[in-house]
Amino acid sequence: MTEDELLDAANDVFTRLREDCPAVPNASYTVHFEPHMTSLAYATAWYYDINPVIQDPTYVGHDFEIALDPDVTWHNGPCRTLPRGSYDLKTTLLHEMIHGVGILSSIRADKSAMPTSYDLQLRDVDEQPVVDTSFHAAFGQSLHVNNVDVYNPSFYQSGSSFSHYMHSGVMDYAQHTSECTRHIDDDVRRMLQAVGYDCAPASHDPLPIILGVAGVLLVGVLIAVFACRKKEKGRMDRPLLS
């Protein structure tokens, strides 16, 4: 697959994301294959203060960047033709783009945080916020963002905790090789609403297509934050771990 074909696939995915949630503004992004990666894919999302720069029309750089491992068996075609043992390219791109537009936590294993707008929407069962400049709840505690249960295992998982929801779907913390998803679901819409995009839930969600269990890929959210301070620009990298 050439990088031109990869960019075409990314453009198709982002177009569908904006059709599902027109409130997401047009974005500037790059997508490329990166040799010698130790992870399947990663996205670098840029932030201004607590907000992703995609929400700042004056920012002239790329809003986010996505890199993928060229040695992975990628499928770039219809869901019905997804081969056993292959990862669906557009499912992975959709997942990473959702992180890129703002569904991304900065909470670390020591509970420190340089909070994103997403972090500030995390709530406990009593509807109390759990993040200011650090995380004040417990690992394993039930948390949600806009009534969407958030993945928070008892032991912090760099690469999974907080930036995913709890059920199967495009923002699950694990992706099956057999999974093929082209559209966001209502819970993704609710999460996007929480960070500033007016995405009305659909009356009927398109269901992800599962062609049979052929393996599991852990979806990572290893966060590295650089200069993400008030009124300064920063970035967050989130590898997709294999």
Side-chain angles (χ1 to χ4, degrees):
M1 186 188 307
T2 68
E3 294 214 350
D4 284 343
E5 291 171 327
L6 179 59
L7 182 58
D8 286 343
N11 290 339
D12 179 64
V13 170
F14 196 71
T15 296
R16 295 190 194 201
L17 173 58
R18 293 191 69 215
E19 288 172 351
D20 289 344
C21 183
V24 173
N26 201 13
S28 173
Y29 53 84
T30 64
V31 56
H32 64 277
F33 289 114
E34 185 171 309
H36 313 301
M37 285 178 58
T38 57
S39 57
L40 179 76
Y42 68 84
T44 300
W46 294 88
Y47 276 73
Y48 185 79
D49 195 359
I50 63 171
N51 296 314
V53 295
I54 187 177
Q55 296 178 0
D56 178 9
T58 67
Y59 182 67
V60 297
H62 293 304
D63 299 314
F64 56 87
E65 305 167 6
I66 298 173
L68 299 101
D69 186 346
D71 296 325
V72 169
T73 303
W74 294 109
H75 169 69
N76 184 23
C79 289
R80 66 180 180 277
T81 63
L82 177 61
R84 181 178 294 273
S86 298
Y87 289 101
D88 182 65
L89 174 66
K90 291 183 178 180
T91 300
T92 301
L93 287 171
L94 179 58
H95 181 108
E96 297 298 345
M97 286 179 171
I98 292 166
H99 285 302
V101 302
I103 307 305
L104 181 64
S105 173
S106 70
I107 300 169
R108 304 183 183 95
D110 63 0
K111 296 190 176 183
S112 64
M114 299 183 76
T116 64
S117 52
Y118 174 82
D119 288 324
L120 297 177
Q121 295 301 316
L122 284 164
R123 300 288 186 269
D124 62 20
V125 295
D126 296 319
E127 299 300 325
Q128 296 302 305
V130 295
V131 177
D132 44 39
T133 57
S134 61
F135 177 58
H136 298 293
F139 296 137
Q141 184 174 339
S142 180
L143 301 174
H144 70 89
V145 168
N146 199 12
N147 295 314
V148 179
D149 291 335
V150 169
Y151 185 67
N152 177 27
S154 298
F155 295 94
Y156 175 83
Q157 294 184 11
S158 174
S160 297
S161 294
F162 303 110
S163 296
H164 302 90
Y165 54 35
M166 288 288 290
H167 58 78
S168 296
V170 71
M171 292 312 290
D172 188 359
Y173 73 94
Q175 180 184 326
H176 296 273
T177 55
S178 53
E179 183 178 353
C180 196
T181 305
R182 293 290 185 263
H183 296 277
I184 61 174
D185 55 43
D186 270 358
D187 280 348
V188 172
R189 289 183 180 89
R190 292 185 181 98
M191 296 167 90
L192 290 171
Q193 281 182 312
V195 296
Y197 306 111
D198 187 13
C199 300
S203 57
H204 299 286
D205 283 333
L207 296 177
I209 296 175
I210 304 296
L211 302 178
V213 176
V216 174
L217 171 67
L218 291 181
V219 177
V221 189
L222 181 60
I223 299 294
V225 181
F226 302 91
C228 188
R229 295 185 294 272
K230 188 162 183 69
K231 299 307 179 187
E232 296 184 2
K233 293 181 175 65
R235 75 176 192 181
M236 297 185 187
D237 300 330
R238 59 158 325 279
L240 186 61
L241 304 178
S242 58

